[in-house]
């Protein structure tokens, strides 16, 4: 498995460091953002390391990420009220952590220009 020793999200996704998990399957893990911008703010990450969406992500992994985002929204009870899925890739998007992740946000009216 392509896990990087110096990557915090690799460590969380593979339970080297534990976090507050919301969902997990063979390919991805979802855990709560440490600086939440909404009542629900969960990060969905692949267990293998990809820098961002432009890093040769296999279709199966991309599908697993989106599937997990929906599972998170269901578990959080925000499918009816609405939710947002965002992935920042690269400098102009303000990507701070260099391991592909989806933000799943909800639980309030999202009017701002986030994330
Ligand atoms: P981005 O700007 O899209 O790269 O977002 C990175 C996100 O990761 C930010 O919302 C941070 O609050 C979050 N974050 C960074 N380190 C951790 C961590 N160890 N556990 C949970 N969330 C984290």
């Amino acid at each position: 498995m392509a896990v990087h020793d110096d990557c915090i999200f690799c460590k969380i996704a593979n339970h080297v460091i534990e976090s507050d998990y919301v969902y997990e399957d063979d390919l991805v893990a979802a855990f709560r953002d440490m600086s939440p911008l909404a009542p629900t703010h969960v990060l969905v990450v692949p267990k293998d390391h990809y820098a961002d969406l432009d890093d040769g992500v296999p279709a199966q992994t991309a599908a697993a990420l989106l599937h997990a985002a929906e599972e998170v929204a269901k578990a959080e009870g925000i499918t009816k009220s609405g939710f947002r899925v965002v992935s920042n890739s690269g400098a102009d998007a303000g990507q701070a952590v260099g391991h592909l992740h989806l933000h799943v946000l909800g639980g309030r009216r999202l009017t701002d220009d986030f994330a």
Side-chain angles (χ1 to χ4, degrees), residues 8-9 12 19 31-37 41 43 87-88 93-98 101 103 114:
I8 183 70
F9 285 1
I12 293 174
S19 189
F31 54 92
R32 296 193 190 281
D33 196 294
M34 68 180 188
S35 301
L37 298 173
H41 188 172
L43 302 173
S87 187
N88 296 316
Q95 183 180 5
V97 178
H101 51 283
H103 297 255
F114 169 62

Side-chain angles (χ1 to χ4, degrees), residues 47-90:
K47 293 187 172 181
D48 282 348
H49 185 90
Y50 304 97
D52 57 28
L53 278 173
D54 189 39
D55 193 20
V57 183
Q60 191 184 12
T61 300
L65 288 165
L66 275 182
H67 173 72
E70 167 67 356
E71 291 298 321
V72 167
K74 280 195 270 189
E76 293 286 295
I78 55 172
T79 54
K80 294 270 189 297
S81 53
F83 62 100
R84 182 177 291 170
V85 179
V86 175
S87 187
N88 296 316
S89 288

